[in-house]
Amino acid sequence: NAGVMQNPRHLVRRRGQEARLRCSPMKGHSHVYWYRQLPEEGLKFMVYLQKENIIDESGMPKERFSAEFPKEGPSILRIQQVVRGDSAAYFCASSPDGYNEQFFGPGTRLTVL
Amino acid sequence: DQQVKQNSPSLSVQEGRISILNCDYTNSMFDYFLWYKKYPAEGPTFLISISSIKDKNEDGRFTVFLNKSAKHLSLHIVPSQPGDSAVYFCAADFTGTASKLTFGTGTRLQVTL
């Protein structure tokens, strides 16, 4: 039973480029969450999605960031026109319906040059 | 506004002894709590959880205690093993609804020989 998959594991972008982070939830999980961890900090919630729906995006920056979880395929976190402050580890988690426990992927480490 | 706090950034414990990691929260609406362990360059791994209807939950070497009146929880690891060396995060949520986790800033546990 494969866990939560994230790719790429490492992503380097220059300022102004776009970053696309992908997340495939565990089999049978219908809830996907994205978190960001800045250096020396805890994980901060960004967005919660179910298939084709954004349920809670209260942690998403108002500009440049977007997320989707289409009917088919992985969830995508998209960051447009990246800046150095976007450098962080981005973690995706999934959970089955009705459960509080979330299971995390290995993360994508984004470095903006 | 840090709603979940882990005031000890690091803890060192000898192998075989008890490790006690502490967590405080300020939002009295939280009623479900989780502990995660995180190794460098990996995603958080779920360890143990507790609902506010309980004051203790055990799973093998791990026990979580909840003191609702003090808004305090703790994770006990007995006996501590070198493989337990990692960063431990507590997180808070609301029962019965899949939603965002609010994380503390983490405590780095080192188990020495």
Side-chain angles (χ1 to χ4, degrees):
Chain A
N1 183 17
V4 177
M5 312 278 282
Q6 287 189 251
N7 66 81
R9 295 291 307 274
H10 300 275
L11 182 61
V12 179
R13 285 286 178 266
R14 296 190 182 281
R15 281 178 295 170
Q17 291 184 319
E18 179 179 286
R20 282 191 181 224
L21 289 63
R22 294 174 184 79
C23 168
S24 296
M26 288 179 71
K27 187 176 180 181
H29 288 194
S30 57
H31 305 261
V32 166
Y33 313 81
W34 286 93
Y35 293 82
R36 177 166 66 174
Q37 185 182 25
L38 296 170
E40 305 303 321
E41 292 189 13
L43 283 76
K44 302 286 189 190
F45 168 80
M46 299 182 75
V47 63
Y48 161 35
L49 310 105
Q50 294 183 27
K51 283 287 186 183
E52 300 185 280
N53 285 306
I54 297 175
I55 307 301
D56 181 350
E57 57 182 346
S58 59
M60 287 278 269
K62 294 284 185 274
E63 297 177 353
R64 303 187 297 107
F65 284 73
S66 62
E68 62 177 6
F69 188 16
K71 189 176 179 182
E72 302 290 337
S75 174
I76 306 284
L77 179 67
R78 182 182 177 205
I79 311 172
Q80 295 179 291
Q81 299 172 347
V82 296
V83 301
R84 288 221 173 104
D86 297 332
S87 295
Y90 291 82
F91 293 97
C92 169
S94 71
S95 70
D97 201 25
Y99 280 79
N100 290 88
E101 289 80 4
Q102 297 178 16
F103 298 88
F104 284 80
T108 294
R109 275 143 191 87
L110 172 65
T111 301
V112 179
L113 301 177
Chain B
D1 177 29
Q2 190 70 28
Q3 296 188 66
V4 178
K5 301 177 185 179
Q6 294 177 257
N7 291 318
S8 298
S10 63
L11 175 67
S12 183
V13 171
Q14 252 186 335
E15 182 181 11
R17 307 293 275 267
I18 184 171
S19 294
I20 300 176
L21 296 97
N22 294 304
C23 179
D24 298 291
Y25 60 97
T26 57
N27 188 341
S28 57
M29 299 299 291
F30 288 136
D31 58 6
Y32 199 87
F33 304 90
L34 308 93
W35 283 94
Y36 284 83
K37 176 168 83 171
K38 186 180 181 303
Y39 293 117
E42 294 184 14
T45 302
F46 170 72
L47 271 178
I48 192 168
S49 60
I50 187 166
S51 165
S52 61
I53 62 174
K54 295 184 175 181
D55 53 19
K56 177 182 174 182
N57 189 25
E58 276 183 89
D59 185 0
R61 296 186 298 115
F62 301 92
T63 304
V64 56
F65 295 91
L66 175 62
N67 182 335
K68 284 175 290 184
S69 60
K71 295 194 186 71
H72 176 83
L73 61 153
S74 60
L75 174 68
H76 292 210
I77 306 173
V78 182
S80 302
Q81 299 173 353
D84 296 330
S85 297
V87 177
Y88 289 78
F89 291 98
C90 70
D93 198 1
F94 307 98
T95 303
T97 173
S99 64
K100 60 190 178 188
L101 296 178
T102 302
F103 281 86
T105 50
T107 296
R108 185 179 303 277
L109 172 66
Q110 183 168 11
V111 180
T112 59
L113 296 173

